[in-house]
Amino acid sequence: MKKVIRLTESDLARIVRRVIIEQEEEMDSVETEIENADENDVKGLERIIDKLGDKIQKMKKHNKFMRMLRKHAMKSPKIKRALMDCEKF
């Protein structure tokens, strides 16, 4: 059985603000992880790609991330796909 709940406009605004803040914090943590990444760590780069998920296109402007993707694109299909995702936008 479905339950109906009522939200006020302020409740909805608070929820939206919280989601936006959480997404920004997640992107900040990923960017920090990229800055601290070893340029030769393919597995580390794959972990970063997994964390980004569908937000990967937003990293197109991050020079170190794009350099790492280009450097290792032939070593991993996951990295090659991520590079293509970034570059098509």
Side-chain angles (χ1 to χ4, degrees):
M1 179 152 120
K2 294 184 179 182
K3 191 174 187 178
V4 176
I5 61 167
R6 295 178 190 252
L7 295 174
T8 64
E9 187 176 342
S10 62
D11 291 336
L12 185 57
R14 190 180 69 248
I15 292 168
V16 169
R17 266 193 306 275
R18 186 182 309 158
V19 168
I20 290 170
I21 288 169
E22 286 175 6
Q23 288 178 341
E24 288 172 350
E25 288 172 352
E26 187 176 318
M27 288 301 290
D28 288 345
S29 89
V30 168
E31 286 190 14
T32 301
E33 195 168 334
I34 290 169
E35 290 302 323
N36 296 330
D38 176 3
E39 296 241 357
N40 297 311
D41 183 11
V42 174
K43 293 294 181 193
L45 183 55
E46 288 178 342
R47 280 192 304 276
I48 292 169
I49 291 167
D50 289 339
K51 280 186 178 181
L52 284 168
D54 60 351
K55 298 179 201 107
I56 198 155
Q57 293 86 8
K58 293 180 181 181
M59 299 306 290
K60 179 178 174 178
K61 296 176 185 170
H62 196 289
N63 293 332
K64 182 175 180 183
F65 181 68
M66 294 302 294
R67 187 175 59 248
M68 290 169 64
L69 289 179
R70 286 185 189 101
K71 179 178 180 180
H72 298 293
M74 292 302 152
K75 295 180 183 175
S76 162
K78 183 183 287 188
I79 295 173
K80 187 174 184 176
R81 270 192 313 276
L83 179 61
M84 290 189 310
D85 287 346
C86 286
E87 290 183 338
K88 72 179 169 185
F89 288 98

